[in-house]
């Protein structure tokens, strides 16, 4: 079964600034999700993550992901795109788009990508079902490139390039 297009947006939206330029919404005053300091396998992903600002055709955008732990091996959350008039992600936002809502991910093991051990997740959102690879080092989060070649289980074999890395907000 092919992964539906909307679920691919969990990672693809980080790479497609032109898609995001038409989206937006104010989140600077929204509280961050608290980080998790437990030793659970999902703990390192729990909290609020944001992309750097991406400029496109005179507009700009960024992504915010809020992940909340539901068990030692699963989390829920939302991924939201924010768009701005102008190229620096400053000033009022023009719109926000909930890219993935009611996201629910379950840890499915690990795999090696680019010399690091990444975590595999399978799950669903209001938009679709799919598989994702994630890796965190310190305050940065890398996501598997959903358009890259897949392993036999359907997980990406590569990460998006570094400019699409998310940074911990809290």
């Amino acid at each position: 079964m092919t992964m539906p297009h909307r679920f691919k947006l969990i990672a693809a939206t980080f790479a497609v600034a032109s898609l995001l330029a038409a989206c937006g919404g104010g989140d600077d005053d929204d509280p961050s999700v608290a980080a998790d300091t437990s030793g659970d396998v999902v703990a390192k992903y729990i909290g609020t993550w944001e992309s750097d600002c991406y400029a496109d055709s005179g507009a700009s955008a960024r992504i915010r992901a809020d992940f909340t732990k539901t068990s030692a091996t699963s989390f829920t959350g939302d991924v939201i795109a924010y768009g701005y008039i102008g190229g620096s992600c400053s000033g009022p936002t023009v719109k926000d788009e909930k890219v993935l809502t009611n996201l629910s991910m379950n840890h499915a093991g690990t795999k090696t990508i680019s010399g690091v051990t990444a975590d595999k997740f399978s799950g669903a959102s209001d938009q679709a079902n799919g598989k994702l690879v994630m890796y965190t080092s310190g305050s940065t989060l890398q996501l598997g490139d959903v358009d890259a070649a897949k392993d036999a289980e359907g997980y990406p074999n590569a990460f998006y390039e570094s400019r699409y890395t998310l940074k911990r907000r809290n």
Side-chain angles (χ1 to χ4, degrees):
M1 174 180 257
T2 303
M3 185 181 342
H5 177 69
R6 288 288 289 178
F7 192 79
K8 289 182 180 182
L9 291 176
I10 190 169
T13 54
F14 298 105
V16 186
S18 62
L19 172 65
L20 301 178
C23 307
D27 75 323
D28 290 339
D29 296 328
D30 289 347
S32 295
V33 173
D36 183 339
T37 58
S38 74
D40 295 336
V41 70
V42 299
K44 58 191 163 195
Y45 302 109
I46 304 308
T48 297
W49 301 86
E50 290 182 331
S51 69
D52 286 334
C53 179
Y54 296 97
D56 183 75
S57 302
S60 56
R62 63 186 166 87
I63 297 290
R64 175 179 166 151
D66 291 313
F67 300 138
T68 303
K69 183 168 80 172
T70 54
S71 78
T73 59
S74 63
F75 64 89
T76 59
D78 292 300
V79 178
I80 303 171
Y82 296 91
Y84 303 83
I85 296 173
S88 63
C89 291
S90 61
T93 55
V94 292
K95 185 180 175 189
D96 66 65
E97 178 179 317
K98 293 181 178 180
V99 177
L100 292 172
T101 53
N102 296 314
L103 179 67
S104 179
M105 300 299 286
N106 297 299
H107 190 261
T110 62
K111 71 177 283 177
T112 301
I113 299 177
S114 302
V116 300
T117 302
D119 290 294
K120 301 186 299 184
F121 290 92
S122 62
S125 72
D126 286 348
Q127 290 75 20
N129 300 329
K131 296 181 177 183
L132 180 65
V133 177
M134 298 170 71
Y135 171 75
T136 185
S137 176
S139 62
T140 60
L141 172 64
Q142 288 182 279
L143 300 170
D145 182 345
V146 298
D147 294 323
K150 309 282 189 293
D151 64 16
E153 296 177 326
Y155 291 95
N157 285 327
F159 292 114
Y160 278 108
E161 58 187 272
S162 63
R163 67 180 169 157
Y164 304 122
T165 298
L166 297 177
K167 296 176 182 161
R168 186 176 291 282
R169 179 175 175 178
N170 51 341

